Amino acid sequence: SPLLEFSQVLLSPHLAGITQESMSRMSAVAVAQIMQMQRGEFPTHWVNTDVREAISRRWQSLTSS
């Protein structure tokens, strides 16, 4: 990076979000979403909405067997 050339610039990794509390909250959200999926619900923080219909069909085929 060109920023490395400046003596008045200090670069450090971004670690603000990596605390015991944040890791605990991330784990709780992941578990909650897994439980939603086990109930046949889509997770609250659904990202790939383009495949929602295909996943619905897949879940239906698994429960109707």
Side-chain angles (χ1 to χ4, degrees):
S1 168
L3 293 174
L4 294 170
E5 304 295 323
F6 297 101
S7 61
Q8 64 271 47
V9 173
L10 173 66
L11 301 175
S12 66
H14 174 66
L15 297 173
I18 307 300
T19 64
Q20 186 172 354
E21 183 180 291
S22 70
M23 296 299 285
S24 186
R25 271 188 271 145
M26 285 188 281
S27 298
V29 168
V31 168
Q33 292 188 113
I34 289 168
M35 292 173 71
Q36 285 177 305
M37 291 172 55
Q38 286 180 329
R39 292 190 301 266
E41 303 167 5
F42 283 92
T44 303
H45 302 287
W46 187 257
V47 176
N48 192 356
T49 57
D50 294 342
V51 298
R52 187 179 188 117
E53 188 176 317
I55 290 175
S56 291
R57 285 193 307 268
R58 176 69 174 142
W59 285 350
Q60 185 64 34
S61 74
L62 293 173
T63 58
S64 62
S65 301

